[in-house]
Amino acid sequence: MASTSVSRVVPASPQKVWDLVGGFDALPDWLPYIPESTALEGGRVRRLANPDGDVIVERLVAFSETERSYTYAILEAPFPVTGYLSTLRVHPVAGRDDVAEVQWSGRFTPAGATDAETEDLFAGIYHDGLEALHQALSA
């Protein structure tokens, strides 16, 4: 099993960040790679579309308002992995109430690719996503 994790300090309070990212169907609000999200099964499943028209279907498997985190599994995607499980979490930064640390991590089993290739793929997605979040919060 392969895994990767990326974190980024962003210019907003943990609650403000969570208000933006904490909705399972909120990716289009801050992630340019996902311009479309459709909530299914009462919001427990999201059907995403990327700019290339690829479909990604994900299921929410854990959610904590108090920990400001959620975990999801990929059910369908064009990625060379199986068993994908990812967590998005917002942490406070000690002594600061005007910034937050956002961590995006995942673990998965490569399918037709190496551990390093899939780790690099998702590290890039997470890094670009957190950079987009930083830009959205800076505007």
Side-chain angles (χ1 to χ4, degrees):
M1 182 165 280
S3 66
T4 192
S5 182
V6 174
S7 59
R8 175 90 157 88
V9 173
V10 295
S13 70
Q15 190 58 51
K16 182 176 179 182
V17 176
W18 183 244
D19 289 346
L20 178 58
V21 305
F24 188 57
D25 196 36
L27 288 179
D29 296 340
W30 61 274
L31 188 61
Y33 178 70
I34 301 295
E36 182 184 327
S37 178
T38 304
L40 306 168
E41 296 185 24
R44 306 265 320 155
V45 172
R46 61 186 179 194
R47 183 184 186 280
L48 310 170
N50 70 17
D52 297 330
D54 295 323
V55 171
I56 303 163
V57 180
E58 300 172 336
R59 175 177 296 283
L60 183 66
V61 295
F63 182 90
S64 175
E65 190 76 40
T66 55
E67 292 183 15
R68 295 186 186 104
S69 72
Y70 67 78
T71 300
Y72 63 95
I74 288 181
L75 304 178
E76 174 187 337
F79 306 126
V81 298
T82 61
Y84 178 97
L85 199 62
S86 182
T87 299
L88 185 66
R89 178 173 282 122
V90 179
H91 299 282
V93 174
R96 302 281 303 268
D97 59 4
D98 60 333
V99 297
E101 180 184 8
V102 182
Q103 179 185 30
W104 198 349
S105 60
R107 62 181 196 267
F108 35 83
T109 301
T114 67
D115 284 7
E117 288 169 335
T118 56
E119 288 169 348
D120 288 349
L121 169 69
F122 287 107
I125 290 170
Y126 301 165
H127 176 271
D128 292 350
L130 295 182
E131 182 59 32
L133 175 61
H134 186 275
Q135 294 301 320
L137 291 166
S138 298

